[in-house]
Amino acid sequence: SGKVRREGDFFAAVGLIDKLAEKIESARIEQDFFLEKKWDETLKHRPLFSAVPFLDFACVFGSLAFGNVKEDSDFDILLGCRKGRIFTARFFAMLFFGAIGKRRGSADFGQRARNKF
């Protein structure tokens, strides 16, 4: 009757695939917008990472690295420090990012975790 069509190995109702494709495209555009916005926010705090004593590197991972960000996403950052200096580097990272309100606490979820490290 023409109400079902085959798309590769799948069968779908006519019009359903087009609506699904539009929805996926819209979601991807939104994700790309938030990805660019959050990446700029991360790079804005780059000098603060450089100021943490004994910190050798900072790597972004999680949703930001995969490009799967939402408006309420936080920043997942892996910090690498010199041998034997983990607690010193951790203290200063917590101090610096806590002072500017960018440190995510254990009670921060949802909107409260937005744009925090």
Side-chain angles (χ1 to χ4, degrees), residues 5 13 35 51 55 57 90 101:
R5 72 175 185 207
L35 175 63
L55 188 67
F57 64 87
R90 182 176 186 228

Side-chain angles (χ1 to χ4, degrees), residues 56-114:
D56 287 335
F57 64 87
C59 293
V60 174
F61 67 100
S63 60
L64 188 60
F66 287 109
N68 188 22
V69 294
K70 298 177 183 140
E71 188 175 9
D72 291 339
S73 293
D74 63 347
F75 301 101
D76 300 312
I77 310 280
L78 173 69
L79 302 177
C81 61
R82 294 189 192 132
K83 187 176 180 178
R85 297 297 182 168
I86 186 169
F87 294 108
T88 306
R90 182 176 186 228
F91 171 78
F92 282 104
M94 290 171 67
L95 178 71
F96 292 167
F97 291 107
I100 64 168
K102 288 293 184 179
R103 180 179 170 260
R104 181 179 173 182
S106 60
D108 292 337
F109 292 99
Q111 284 188 336
R112 291 184 62 192
R114 178 189 298 175

